């Protein structure tokens, strides 16, 4: 049911936006308040992740907006690229006030995520491209969510969209390598949408400067047609990497 909802984004967004939420428990390993909830609407039930703004810890290098808003912005970019990397995600009121609500994805337990993070896997390579677009400062191994059929989702996108180059990831195996044709198509698609409705929706969640920086990152990737290299003045890999 969860994976079919992940593919039917309209139904998932409706459930996440209007469904009744009941907190099941807290994910204690998360640095910010992260709650797993049951959600139900008209007989349709699922699990979701709820991150209330009230539970966010201030970050000196992400002073504007909210982490919840950045999570939703990442989902919008994922959808614009056509890759469904980020599970359906909305911004709404919940039991602890406004926050991000995202469909819970149960990863395939048979997949070795450490091995997957180091593999030359097409689905993971798409995540590397996506992370470069949103300037993800925290792509850890545990943020990869492989499901049956080979698709890989990504989660935890609260520290993205900085105007400074802060790409920090465990997925550097393609650095400097040519972008695949499908990646260039996805980049061209999101670039076009950044001149239209997508820019307006992002402007409600991140700053105008961050929207413009996203355009510039996409332009650079389309110009040079290669995966980016690690930053020289910023840690290239998050810690802990898992």
């Amino acid at each position: 049911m969860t994976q079919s909802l992940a593919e039917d984004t309209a139904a998932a967004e409706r459930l996440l936006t209007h469904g009744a939420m009941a907190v099941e428990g807290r994910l204690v390993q998360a640095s910010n308040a992260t709650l797993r909830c049951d959600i139900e609407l008209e007989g349709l039930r699922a699990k979701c992740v709820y991150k209330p703004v009230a539970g966010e810890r201030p970050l000196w290098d992400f002073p504007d907006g909210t982490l919840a808003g950045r999570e939703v912005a990442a989902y919008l970019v994922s959808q614009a690229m056509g890759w469904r990397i980020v599970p359906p995600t909305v911004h709404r009121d919940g039991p602890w006030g406004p926050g991000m609500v995202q469909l819970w994805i149960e990863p395939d337990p048979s997949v070795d995520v450490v091995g997957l993070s180091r593999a030359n896997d097409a689905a993971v390579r798409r995540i590397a491209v996506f992370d470069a677009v949103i300037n993800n400062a925290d792509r850890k191994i545990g943020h990869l969510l492989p499901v049956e059929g080979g698709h890989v989702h990504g989660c935890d996108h609260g520290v993205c969209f900085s105007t400074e180059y802060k790409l920090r990831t465990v997925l550097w195996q393609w650095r400097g390598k040519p972008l695949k044709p499908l990646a260039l198509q996805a980049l061209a698609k999101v670039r076009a949408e950044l001149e239209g409705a997508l820019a307006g929706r992002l402007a409600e969640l991140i700053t105008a400067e961050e929207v413009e920086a996203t355009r510039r990152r996409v332009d650079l990737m389309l110009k040079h047609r290669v995966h980016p290299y690690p930053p020289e003045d910023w840690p290239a890999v998050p810690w802990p990497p898992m």
Side-chain angles (χ1 to χ4, degrees), residues 69-126:
R70 294 173 188 280
E71 295 252 22
V72 179
Y75 170 65
L76 295 178
V77 172
S78 169
Q79 290 299 101
M81 295 181 77
W83 282 348
R84 295 190 302 104
I85 290 169
V86 182
T89 308
V90 303
H91 198 285
R92 60 164 284 184
D93 280 330
W96 288 5
M100 179 280 284
V101 179
Q102 184 175 91
L103 186 69
W104 176 272
I105 299 295
E106 193 67 43
D108 184 347
S110 69
V111 177
D112 172 12
V113 290
V114 175
L116 180 66
S117 72
R118 299 170 178 171
N120 185 19
D121 181 272
V124 177
R125 188 168 186 170
R126 287 194 291 270

Side-chain angles (χ1 to χ4, degrees), residues 10-203:
E13 288 178 18
R14 183 169 178 271
L15 171 65
L16 296 172
T17 301
H18 303 291
M21 294 170 56
V23 176
E24 180 183 81
R26 180 171 181 173
L27 304 183
V28 294
Q29 70 271 28
S31 57
N32 295 281
T34 303
L35 308 171
R36 190 167 107 145
C37 303
D38 293 305
I39 190 164
E40 178 180 0
L41 180 68
E42 299 173 354
L44 182 61
R45 299 179 180 87
K47 302 286 186 184
C48 66
V49 176
Y50 166 47
K51 297 183 180 180
V53 173
E56 295 181 4
R57 296 181 180 180
L59 298 175
W60 67 267
D61 51 344
F62 287 87
D64 300 310
T66 64
L67 305 186
R70 294 173 188 280
E71 295 252 22
V72 179
Y75 170 65
L76 295 178
V77 172
S78 169
Q79 290 299 101
M81 295 181 77
W83 282 348
R84 295 190 302 104
I85 290 169
V86 182
T89 308
V90 303
H91 198 285
R92 60 164 284 184
D93 280 330
W96 288 5
M100 179 280 284
V101 179
Q102 184 175 91
L103 186 69
W104 176 272
I105 299 295
E106 193 67 43
D108 184 347
S110 69
V111 177
D112 172 12
V113 290
V114 175
L116 180 66
S117 72
R118 299 170 178 171
N120 185 19
D121 181 272
V124 177
R125 188 168 186 170
R126 287 194 291 270
I127 293 179
V129 175
F130 168 70
D131 283 345
V133 171
I134 66 171
N135 200 13
N136 191 351
D138 194 35
R139 174 62 71 199
K140 297 178 179 177
I141 295 171
H143 298 167
L144 301 176
L145 305 174
V147 295
E148 291 184 5
H151 188 72
V152 182
H153 293 283
C155 66
D156 285 341
H157 300 103
V159 287
C160 299
F161 296 103
S162 174
T163 56
E164 300 178 20
Y165 184 46
K166 292 190 176 183
L167 186 58
R168 186 164 55 182
T169 174
V170 295
L171 308 177
W172 287 116
Q173 56 265 52
W174 298 286
R175 61 190 180 278
K177 293 187 177 181
L179 292 164
K180 294 289 188 180
L182 287 177
L184 293 170
Q185 291 175 20
L187 289 168
K189 185 173 183 291
V190 75
R191 183 62 180 85
E193 296 204 24
L194 281 167
E195 294 301 324
L198 177 60
R201 296 186 69 186
L202 290 178

